[in-house]
Amino acid sequence: MKPECARPFLSHLQPVFLNGMMEESEEVRSNSVYGLGCLIENVGSVVFNQYPLYLKHLSDMISTEEDQRAKDNICGAVARLILVNIDGFPGLLQSLPLKEDLEENEAVFKCLNYMYSRRCEQFFQNIPQIIRICSETALLSSKLNENAVALMHSLLNNLYSEFPNDFEIVLKTLPPANAEALIKAKSIA
């Protein structure tokens, strides 16, 4: 969707999503966060001036949210925000891996691959943590959609080809099941 096509809906949907993030219902909060993330992803630069507001709401929500699905949707929304502007990256890493709403891994790995391809300093400063996150996610690879698996595979191969020593060092520190899942995820074609 072109950003200018979504612009007319922004003024109507943004307050609905932001208010929904404060509802009592876990499902409403989770869906509101997901909707906000999708809206931001589709309107792109149109919402640059709203970015601090979104990040504040998402940050406030993740610090108090108890519902795991809503937390995973917050991570997905932050990943979508990062695709628009990378400032939310440290907060995203602290909340990974996803634990319940595994569909959001597609947005997360799309974001991580984007940051890698853009050579973002914040990404490269956190390679060991990113590899550990991949190992936890790889344990659940049978529950991930094809796109998420392909994106994780691409990221792992890029990291291994560029930083084989760092990859091997982290691999040696992982529990055996994580190390095995990580190796398998890296080698999936």
Side-chain angles (χ1 to χ4, degrees):
M1 175 183 290
K2 293 182 180 178
E4 57 273 6
C5 294
R7 187 181 308 214
F9 303 104
L10 183 62
S11 63
H12 300 289
L13 292 175
Q14 176 181 300
V16 171
F17 293 144
L18 291 175
N19 289 330
M21 290 167 57
M22 296 180 282
E23 286 288 326
E24 279 189 43
S25 166
E26 295 167 347
E27 185 175 1
V28 171
R29 288 193 313 272
S30 180
N31 289 337
S32 295
V33 170
Y34 177 77
L36 180 67
C38 290
L39 179 67
I40 292 165
E41 182 179 35
N42 284 290
V43 298
S45 62
V46 172
V47 294
F48 272 153
N49 62 338
Q50 298 293 313
Y51 191 79
L53 172 72
Y54 300 146
L55 205 50
K56 181 186 180 334
H57 278 278
L58 291 167
S59 178
D60 289 348
M61 187 177 176
I62 202 160
S63 67
T64 60
E65 185 59 55
E66 294 180 13
D67 179 60
Q68 191 59 54
R69 178 171 287 281
K71 284 182 179 182
D72 291 351
N73 280 319
I74 293 167
C75 291
V78 172
R80 289 175 176 91
L81 279 167
I82 291 168
L83 292 171
V84 176
N85 182 328
I86 66 163
D87 291 337
F89 188 63
L92 175 64
L93 283 183
Q94 292 172 3
S95 300
L96 295 176
L98 302 182
K99 295 168 184 63
E100 186 173 322
D101 192 352
L102 301 180
E103 291 295 315
E104 289 296 322
N105 275 302
E106 185 172 345
V108 167
F109 283 102
K110 182 178 179 182
C111 170
L112 293 173
N113 278 287
Y114 172 78
M115 292 191 72
Y116 174 82
S117 71
R118 296 288 306 235
R119 311 301 290 174
C120 295
E121 183 178 336
Q122 291 179 358
F123 177 91
F124 290 97
Q125 291 171 345
N126 290 286
I127 288 176
Q129 184 178 2
I130 292 167
I131 294 170
R132 283 187 203 92
I133 290 166
C134 289
S135 81
E136 290 290 326
T137 305
L139 287 171
L140 305 170
S141 63
S142 66
K143 298 178 181 178
L144 303 179
N145 70 42
E146 286 180 25
N147 291 336
V149 171
L151 288 164
M152 180 172 58
H153 169 73
S154 174
L155 180 66
L156 288 170
N157 280 326
N158 286 331
L159 290 175
Y160 185 77
S161 66
E162 190 169 346
F163 305 102
N165 292 337
D166 292 337
F167 198 96
E168 292 296 331
I169 289 169
V170 172
L171 194 61
K172 290 176 184 175
T173 67
L174 296 173
N178 291 56
E180 184 179 327
L182 188 65
I183 292 167
K184 183 179 177 185
K186 184 184 88 52
S187 61
I188 292 174

